[in-house]
Amino acid sequence: MGIRKILFFILIVIVVNVGARPVSWTQGSTLMAYSNNMKNSIYYHFSPTYKFSLGLEMVEDKVFDNSYAYFRLTRLLNRKNTQNSQRNLYFRSGVSSKQWASYFLGLQGDWETRRLFAGFNVNLIESGNRDYFDQSYQVGIAPYLGEFGDLHTWIMLQVEHMPQGRNKMIYTPMIRMFKGDFLFETGL
């Protein structure tokens, strides 16, 4: 079964966690699926502690017409909780199954209140002769404030800068919904 069929199955049958916590709670795990004009991927990670996670990401690279796996490590660098907000900063890394010289290093951060969200993701990807840098930013607003256990919805805008892509800047309106431990996010 191809990665596209697996992605479709996960997206349709299971509520997928796509842009969620790169590190879970202690002894927690997360399954994420991601698709854009550059790649399709499925990523599973396990968090031995709330400060770091180890995982495996299966990638179908659309730009270089290649498939491989990343062995991933993510570390929570900083978290600040206040009465009205939370912010997180993560270091992300991965080494390719194709060759040790293929890897990525990145930073991911977010800040949110119950009403507002802002986040970023910056990556340096080294892959032999095809090294590149990408970044994305998200802002969002919750149209209503739900109680604990309710379905929560965010209306968001994501801006991606991918210098190696056909479209250097991509603007995507998005909807993010979550309830309990499940998060679903899709571009419109």
Side-chain angles (χ1 to χ4, degrees):
M1 181 183 298
I3 195 165
R4 288 188 180 140
K5 290 180 183 175
I6 292 169
L7 282 172
F8 179 76
F9 175 79
I10 289 171
L11 289 172
I12 299 303
V13 177
I14 302 170
V15 178
V16 176
N17 195 345
V18 293
R21 301 174 287 260
V23 175
S24 296
W25 55 91
T26 299
Q27 301 295 308
S29 61
T30 303
L31 176 66
M32 294 184 240
Y34 182 79
S35 182
N36 67 9
N37 66 334
M38 303 290 292
K39 72 176 185 177
N40 294 322
S41 76
I42 298 174
Y43 172 41
Y44 172 81
H45 74 77
F46 172 75
S47 297
T49 76
Y50 74 94
K51 292 210 174 226
F52 79 97
S53 69
L54 301 167
L56 179 67
E57 180 179 19
M58 303 302 295
V59 178
E60 178 185 36
D61 189 320
K62 297 176 186 178
V63 174
F64 301 121
D65 194 27
N66 197 1
S67 295
Y68 51 90
Y70 271 130
F71 302 99
R72 295 193 40 180
L73 168 70
T74 302
R75 173 105 172 115
L76 174 64
L77 298 175
N78 183 270
R79 172 171 286 151
K80 175 72 173 178
N81 291 309
T82 70
Q83 185 173 352
N84 297 315
S85 69
Q86 177 178 321
R87 76 164 190 254
N88 301 292
L89 181 63
Y90 300 95
F91 167 76
R92 302 169 354 107
S93 62
V95 175
S96 173
S97 61
K98 290 284 189 184
Q99 57 180 333
W100 291 108
S102 294
Y103 61 90
F104 79 88
L105 301 171
L107 286 176
Q108 178 179 339
D110 61 67
W111 171 85
E112 64 184 286
T113 67
R114 292 185 66 213
R115 175 76 65 189
L116 303 172
F117 176 89
F120 73 92
N121 191 4
V122 178
N123 295 303
L124 171 65
I125 298 97
E126 298 280 343
S127 57
N129 296 335
R130 299 173 290 221
D131 304 338
Y132 59 96
F133 176 78
D134 69 26
Q135 54 194 321
S136 64
Y137 302 92
Q138 287 183 326
V139 293
I141 187 164
Y144 62 89
L145 298 180
E147 298 299 321
F148 183 78
D150 287 350
L151 174 67
H152 297 268
T153 305
W154 293 81
I155 299 168
M156 304 182 79
L157 175 65
Q158 178 171 286
V159 178
E160 296 173 275
H161 178 239
M162 296 184 211
Q164 74 288 354
R166 282 173 265 172
N167 299 321
K168 307 290 186 219
M169 297 289 287
I170 301 169
Y171 300 88
T172 308
M174 304 183 83
I175 296 287
R176 174 184 284 184
M177 296 175 283
F178 69 91
K179 181 176 173 81
D181 290 340
F182 296 97
L183 181 140
F184 179 78
E185 183 177 274
T186 187
L188 304 175

